[in-house]
Amino acid sequence: MPHVLLALLILLLLTTSAHAQGYPPEEAARRMTLPAGVVAEPFAAEPMVRQPVAIEFDERGRLWVIQYLQYPNPAGLERVSVDRYSRTVYDRVPEPPPRGPQGADRITILADTDGDGRADCEKDFVAGLNLASGLAFGHGGVYVLQVPYLLYYADKNRDDVPDGDPQVLLTGFGMEDAHSVANSLLFGPDGWLYGAQGSTVTANIRGIEFQQGVWRYHPPTDRFELFYEGGGNTWGVDFDAEGNLFASTNLGGYIGVHGMQGAYYWKSFGKHGALHNPHAYGFFDHMPHENFVGGHVTVGGIVYQGNTLPWLRGKYVNGDLLGHAAYWNNLERAGSTFRSQHGGKLLLAGDTWFANSDVTSGPDGSIYLTDWHDARTAHPDPDAEWDRRNGRIYALRAKDAPRVPAFDLGELSSLELVDHLAHENNWYVRAARRLLAARQDKSVLSALLEKFRAADTAPQALEYAWTIQACGGLDESLLVELLVHGEPMVRYWGVRFIGDDHAKNAELTGKLAELAAREPDVRVRAQLACTARRLPLEASLPLLESLAAHAEDASDPFVPLLLWWALETQFSREPVIVVERFAQPAIWSSALARRELLPRLVRRCAAEGETGLLLATHLITSAPDDEVRLALFESLGDALAGPPLTRVPVALAEQIERLWNKDANRVRLATAAARLGYPPVFDWLRDQTLDVSAAEAARTNAIELLAALGAQQKVVHVLLAIALNDETGNVRLAATRGLARFDDGQVRDALIAQYSDFDPTQQAAAREVLFGRADWALAFLAGVTAGRLSAADVPTDELSRLALHQRADLDELVEKHWGRIGAAAPEERLADVRRLNNDLRAAAGDASNGRLLFREHCGKCHTLFGEGTKLGPDLTTANRQDRQYLLTSIVDPSTVVRKEYLGSIVATTDGRILTGLVAEETPVALTLIDGENRRHTIGRAEIDSVEPSTTSLMPERLLEKLTPQQLRDLFAYLQATEPP
């Protein structure tokens, strides 16, 4: 087995250091570093609780915990296969409990009966669960996530015993990987039950398929929705005082996303493919974050709204699974969204076994954190042995905070619960709202309405509005009142409620366009855009027109794409009506529409084939001036792929002809003109490539376009002339690489014939072209055999590409001239690590010199301290202080690299092999980024197959190029805490 010895060494090192950790609960609490005035107390620990993954307080102040003891493999199922992302296929879908296989997971109620802050009573509510990952209270029972199901256990008499077998509410949550299953159940302020979906599982709920994202379910009406798609491996969802949703992430450098209704967010596209809407044409990233601290996995994040730690109120508190810590962060408005900033350290465990998996706040105002407590802090091979003996829950309390006496909110009257909606600790507010929603007691509606109208802050008014809605009292008159309220976020929620429950009410939806025209707050306009996507066409289009008139939103981080997603939804329903409406002069006068909406609409039209091209023609001919038309043609050119079209609408061809006759337009028009088959453009491109007086960038762009779209018989001789004779380095390289697209023997013969006369850079480009085709590579190796070409010129890391052709004759020649070019044996890697460690210990390094070395050898793919390229992981947040880990990652990149950075192998229909990370997928093309950070776009019609690669794009033997002092300098920079 490859890498076994190296893996054993790493495990031995981890185990050796871990023996000094894993402190008993009391000692572990004493060793924690905490802010002044905060103490850590063990609320519960093994054997009372083990492997805690989710915690939640009930209305009696008791803490419920899911003990995730079945992790990582479900009971009773047979594994059929496991892919490189640890996604497992099982032999069947298990039945729901109690009929399905009995697992080891349990939901346990922990109570502190003597008021000393420690759990002294435990009782299982349900046991025998099989990968249970989330729970929430509501509607007289307990909602439980056990993939593939969302279950509801009724407990109407509140005796802590389920009234019967659970009701299956939803089915289809993915169970391929137990560390990223559906999780984090939480009732939102709108009465919907929200949950997260992790990264390496696929859900298909009622025909809605997704991997990463946040979803929601409405128990009273049995509705299910994907709230947003993407966002990384989310494990933690919460809402702030105004109902903004925040979700955690596993993307280093960020703490989470601000979730907007119906939006699309970043996900690992190479790992999961494109967004499920191929016409999203963009996505939101995580909240911009300043001064990131910790490992790359943020879990259980909450917006603290308690009363005993007032300096934390409104701050985002998150666990740091890999950093054995917890932090607090500031949330700041940024237009319609937020940015975040590291605020401070809430808890440093000082114990590498501490692994926080969930965070919540309690009725006493304290923050409660789970501790998985294991020597392992990452998910290894699914067959690895796990230590299931341990688990802790800690309370972080203000030193002077009083203990909370026993209580039971469930015994209060409905009016008493209404009074709790003004409690200074938001835990009571949420619990009271949840209980009132379950009771549906209409007698309190008048009191709630009175308090809503008397509220003098947005959070207070919202609490009463949310509770009125939860109790079924939000009628049309009150919705109109919300829309004209003085507080923007109250208007925001009025808009949201209309989209959720009253989208077909023409009178109400008509008021949204009126509101959009006059609305001064960008947050409300953002929600209006979200709601426009949910409305019927006749209500949505006027609303979108009003929103598009707000030129100030063109630079907002969210609004332009939210508007596009709404417009695209309506286009999918009625494309002709949408195009006709948005071709009107009033739309063209909107800077936001011209810059953000109409170019995307042209691109969307192009995806519909010939019919869509007619619609795109209508938009382009309707444009008010040539500047706008050129912008639309640029978008159209980006949308098309494959060979040039042979059938183009007459009006579109006329526009191209007219614009092309003005020389100043040709650079911008060239891509669209070439893809639309306009003959004069190819002569112009040829002339541009051969014009030695033209700017280098202009010639390079012309070469790339000519290579992509020109006919072989007209292009090959032009590119060959430049590749063999031109003196401009980058132009020559572009022409050489462009020749890779043409299966023409004269290209092969010419490159091999002049190979020895090329400089090293040009030789590398020629090898890239020749090694892409098996027969061409064979001809090159024949030249090596004959002595005409030098084997010494070929770096061994390039030879691995030849193995992808799976040709015995190639493999034999490679072994003959270079030896066996497989991965180094484990014992060789161990020797390399020991030797390099000796070099590193011999003397100090210079971080300033190391920075230059980083730029040369690492910066093409990695970022450190904001410098470099984000092709591979951002090293700023990596585990750089562990030199053994860092060194091993470089020596053996394919074993240690995060698997989402493994690439793909694309075989084309004309016999080429390309490798790289998938950067983008559309219905018409796939884009790869290679190890040199170059983009390669391949039309779908050109692709024969796409297969996962088993190796990292990062080359092996990278450190062999460095002297011992350069090695020390590089590591001095890689391990620096700040840039020199």
Side-chain angles (χ1 to χ4, degrees):
M1 295 176 64
H3 313 304
V4 168
L5 291 178
L6 182 62
L8 287 175
L9 174 64
I10 296 170
L11 181 59
L12 177 63
L13 290 168
L14 289 173
T15 305
T16 301
S17 63
H19 279 320
Q21 306 289 314
Y23 304 110
E26 298 289 346
E27 183 180 355
R30 289 195 301 271
R31 287 177 174 269
M32 291 177 180
T33 301
L34 305 161
V38 177
V39 296
E41 295 179 348
F43 178 78
E46 65 273 0
M48 180 179 284
V49 60
R50 297 176 293 138
Q51 309 278 263
V53 74
I55 51 176
E56 192 64 55
F57 283 94
D58 68 9
E59 65 267 21
R60 304 179 211 182
R62 302 175 304 176
L63 188 62
W64 292 46
V65 56
I66 294 180
Q67 300 186 63
Y68 204 36
L69 296 165
Q70 189 59 49
Y71 176 89
N73 299 306
L77 303 182
E78 294 294 328
R79 186 186 309 144
V80 175
S81 64
V82 181
D83 73 4
R84 60 177 174 153
Y85 300 119
S86 300
R87 291 182 292 217
T88 303
V89 176
Y90 295 103
D91 61 337
R92 61 194 173 89
V93 175
E95 290 187 277
R99 300 186 303 278
Q102 295 288 300
D105 295 344
R106 55 187 60 235
I107 297 177
T108 305
I109 306 169
L110 304 177
D112 171 17
T113 62
D114 58 11
D116 66 350
R118 311 290 177 93
D120 50 51
C121 179
E122 60 178 304
K123 177 185 179 180
D124 284 345
F125 177 73
V126 63
L129 297 176
N130 200 8
L131 295 185
S133 53
L135 79 157
F137 309 108
H139 302 285
V142 183
Y143 295 86
V144 175
L145 274 171
Q146 179 190 289
V147 291
Y149 305 108
L150 173 65
L151 307 170
Y152 171 71
Y153 286 90
D155 183 17
K156 302 296 185 182
N157 59 6
R158 305 176 71 231
D159 64 353
D160 300 330
V161 177
D163 296 343
D165 291 347
Q167 179 183 356
V168 176
L169 302 176
L170 298 173
T171 183
F173 290 105
M175 55 189 305
E176 302 97 311
D177 187 351
H179 90 282
S180 59
V181 291
N183 63 85
S184 305
L185 288 182
L186 176 70
F187 270 99
D190 51 8
W192 289 69
L193 181 64
Y194 286 76
Q197 170 80 23
S199 61
T200 43
V201 298
T202 296
N204 194 318
I205 313 293
R206 300 178 180 177
I208 301 173
E209 182 183 289
F210 61 100
Q211 287 87 31
Q212 304 164 16
V214 167
W215 51 271
R216 65 178 188 166
Y217 172 74
H218 194 240
T221 58
D222 191 39
R223 285 180 289 168
F224 171 84
E225 295 180 356
L226 181 60
F227 189 72
Y228 69 73
E229 181 184 352
N233 190 13
T234 301
W235 201 287
V237 175
D238 198 18
F239 298 86
D240 70 4
E242 294 184 330
N244 293 295
L245 184 152
F246 299 93
S248 61
T249 185
N250 68 332
L251 183 62
Y254 303 94
I255 62 167
V257 303
H258 166 218
M260 290 292 289
Q261 187 177 37
Y264 299 99
Y265 290 80
W266 173 92
K267 63 177 184 175
S268 180
F269 298 109
K271 190 174 184 178
H272 300 296
L275 294 162
H276 281 73
N277 180 359
H279 309 296
Y281 303 157
F283 54 85
F284 296 152
D285 210 330
H286 294 61
M287 288 185 293
H289 187 76
E290 294 182 25
N291 305 322
F292 182 85
V293 174
H296 73 270
V297 178
T298 297
V299 295
I302 63 168
V303 180
Y304 179 75
Q305 297 176 66
N307 58 332
T308 59
L309 299 167
W311 55 277
L312 270 182
R313 195 166 180 92
K315 310 298 184 184
Y316 187 78
V317 176
N318 69 274
D320 176 8
L321 182 70
L322 299 182
H324 320 294
Y327 308 104
W328 61 271
N329 306 272
N330 295 307
L331 298 172
E332 302 173 355
R333 280 274 312 279
S336 63
T337 181
F338 291 82
R339 64 171 64 93
S340 56
Q341 180 186 58
H342 176 72
K345 299 167 183 174
L346 184 62
L347 180 157
L348 297 180
D351 184 346
T352 58
W353 285 40
F354 179 87
N356 176 226
S357 55
D358 199 13
V359 180
T360 194
S361 59
D364 59 350
S366 300
I367 293 174
Y368 289 76
L369 304 98
T370 58
D371 175 11
W372 183 264
H373 203 72
D374 200 307
R376 300 183 188 276
T377 54
H379 49 97
D381 185 282
D383 292 324
E385 291 295 324
W386 282 87
D387 182 357
R388 295 183 173 85
R389 297 169 300 173
N390 307 314
R392 287 91 184 268
I393 300 170
Y394 293 98
L396 303 188
R397 300 180 56 249
K399 283 183 179 178
D400 56 354
R403 302 288 183 188
V404 175
F407 66 91
D408 185 352
L409 296 184
E411 295 182 347
L412 299 182
S413 69
S414 295
L415 281 175
E416 288 173 319
L417 289 175
V418 169
D419 290 338
H420 275 71
L421 295 175
H423 201 286
E424 60 181 350
N425 181 354
N426 189 256
W427 182 89
Y428 289 93
V429 177
R430 294 186 182 194
R433 188 192 327 125
R434 171 172 54 80
L435 291 169
L436 286 167
R439 293 180 184 181
Q440 290 291 294
D441 186 351
K442 301 298 190 292
S443 68
V444 300
L445 290 176
S446 59
L448 288 167
L449 183 59
E450 182 179 348
K451 289 177 179 292
F452 163 74
R453 290 171 174 163
D456 53 11
T457 69
Q460 289 176 353
L462 285 170
E463 287 297 349
Y464 297 119
W466 290 331
T467 308
I468 291 170
Q469 191 267 350
C471 293
L474 193 61
D475 57 19
E476 294 180 21
S477 62
L478 184 52
L479 282 168
V480 173
E481 196 170 336
L482 296 181
L483 293 181
V484 297
H485 198 277
E487 289 288 347
M489 287 305 291
V490 177
R491 300 196 297 274
Y492 171 108
W493 275 97
V495 173
R496 172 89 164 261
F497 285 142
I498 290 174
D500 283 353
D501 296 307
H502 303 271
K504 295 182 179 180
N505 185 318
E507 184 176 351
L508 284 174
T509 57
K511 294 184 180 300
L512 296 182
E514 300 171 12
L515 174 63
R518 66 175 188 272
E519 176 55 55
D521 195 286
V522 68
R523 294 171 295 177
V524 184
R525 297 196 295 269
Q527 181 55 48
L528 282 162
C530 295
T531 295
R533 190 175 182 186
R534 305 169 67 87
L535 301 181
L537 181 75
E538 61 274 13
S540 179
L541 292 183
L543 174 54
L544 290 173
E545 288 181 34
S546 295
L547 291 170
H550 287 273
E552 66 272 29
D553 289 343
S555 58
D556 184 80
F558 275 11
V559 170
L561 273 175
L562 292 174
L563 286 172
W564 164 245
W565 294 329
L567 184 61
E568 194 279 326
T569 296
Q570 302 302 342
F571 177 93
S572 298
R573 296 169 179 166
E574 294 287 351
V576 174
I577 294 175
V578 168
V579 168
E580 185 62 41
R581 186 77 174 248
F582 269 70
Q584 300 303 313
I587 296 295
W588 292 108
S589 66
S590 161
L592 174 56
R594 287 198 311 272
R595 194 175 90 180
E596 301 290 346
L597 300 182
L598 292 163
R600 287 185 171 94
L601 186 55
V602 164
R603 181 178 174 184
R604 180 66 180 87
C605 290
E608 296 298 310
E610 289 189 15
T611 301
L613 205 57
L614 289 170
L615 293 175
T617 301
H618 181 51
L619 280 172
I620 291 171
T621 55
S622 300
D625 55 60
D626 286 349
E627 177 61 28
V628 175
R629 290 189 186 94
L630 285 169
L632 296 183
F633 268 118
E634 287 177 305
S635 184
L636 183 61
D638 292 340
L640 299 171
L645 299 181
T646 57
R647 297 177 59 183
V648 177
V650 173
L652 193 62
E654 291 173 349
Q655 287 291 340
I656 295 173
E657 177 85 28
R658 188 180 62 79
L659 291 170
W660 186 259
N661 288 330
K662 297 181 181 179
D663 290 350
N665 296 335
R666 292 181 177 178
V667 171
R668 295 179 63 186
L669 192 61
T671 299
R675 293 194 181 280
L676 292 166
Y678 180 59
V681 74
F682 296 101
D683 292 336
W684 179 82
L685 287 170
R686 181 199 60 211
D687 294 343
Q688 285 285 101
T689 62
L690 295 172
D691 184 0
V692 294
S693 65
E696 181 178 295
R699 294 186 68 195
T700 300
N701 291 338
I703 286 170
E704 292 174 351
L705 193 55
L706 190 65
L709 295 171
Q712 179 170 323
Q713 66 272 21
K714 295 183 178 180
V715 171
V716 167
H717 71 282
V718 175
L719 297 185
L720 264 179
I722 298 171
L724 300 179
N725 303 308
D726 203 285
E727 296 182 359
T728 308
N730 288 334
V731 173
R732 191 176 188 183
L733 291 176
T736 303
R737 292 179 179 128
L739 288 166
R741 302 185 69 91
F742 303 104
D743 188 7
D744 189 323
Q746 66 174 319
V747 173
R748 174 199 60 214
D749 296 342
L751 291 180
I752 292 175
Q754 288 200 221
Y755 178 84
S756 297
D757 297 328
F758 291 155
D759 62 35
T761 303
Q762 180 72 359
Q763 284 185 340
R767 290 194 302 271
E768 182 181 329
V769 174
L770 294 167
F771 287 5
R773 298 179 188 273
D775 290 340
W776 293 17
L778 193 64
F780 180 91
L781 296 187
V784 174
T785 301
R788 297 190 303 273
L789 305 176
S790 171
D793 292 340
V794 184
T796 53
D797 59 301
E798 290 184 18
L799 297 169
S800 60
R801 186 178 179 194
L802 298 179
L804 300 177
H805 292 292
Q806 300 181 11
R807 287 268 298 261
D809 48 359
L810 279 175
D811 296 341
E812 288 176 10
L813 287 173
V814 168
E815 185 169 353
K816 175 181 177 180
H817 296 296
W818 290 275
R820 192 173 293 277
I821 308 296
E827 56 270 20
E828 293 178 284
R829 296 187 189 279
L830 286 173
D832 287 343
V833 170
R834 284 194 292 265
R835 174 177 56 80
L836 294 167
N837 256 324
N838 290 336
D839 288 342
L840 288 169
R841 285 192 289 264
D846 183 332
S848 296
N849 290 336
R851 184 177 191 171
L852 300 177
L853 290 165
F854 174 86
R855 290 173 180 171
E856 179 182 356
H857 297 286
C858 314
K860 290 180 180 179
C861 297
H862 295 284
T863 302
L864 181 57
F865 303 128
E867 184 176 16
T869 303
K870 292 185 177 180
L871 175 59
D874 187 339
L875 300 183
T876 312
T877 58
N879 187 16
R880 295 180 291 112
Q881 300 311 308
D882 185 340
R883 191 172 74 188
Q884 187 72 26
Y885 170 82
L886 189 59
L887 187 57
T888 303
S889 300
I890 299 173
V891 170
D892 192 8
S894 293
T895 291
V896 182
V897 71
R898 287 171 60 186
K899 294 177 182 177
E900 55 262 47
Y901 292 103
L902 292 173
S904 296
I905 303 166
V906 176
T908 66
T909 54
D910 63 353
R912 285 185 296 151
I913 296 288
L914 298 94
T915 61
L917 289 176
V918 176
E920 183 180 5
E921 287 186 83
T922 71
V924 295
L926 181 147
T927 299
L928 293 178
I929 300 182
D930 65 19
E932 296 296 316
N933 203 28
R934 296 194 302 265
R935 297 174 72 89
H936 303 270
T937 299
I938 312 106
R940 291 286 183 188
E942 301 176 70
I943 296 174
D944 182 58
S945 65
V946 181
E947 300 292 339
S949 172
T950 58
T951 58
S952 169
L953 288 181
M954 181 175 170
E956 297 187 11
R957 301 178 176 87
L958 184 67
L959 299 179
E960 290 182 3
K961 305 173 184 177
L962 306 181
T963 66
Q965 186 56 50
Q966 287 177 322
L967 176 71
R968 290 188 284 270
D969 293 346
L970 177 61
F971 268 68
Y973 180 62
L974 289 176
Q975 296 194 277
T977 56
E978 57 185 26

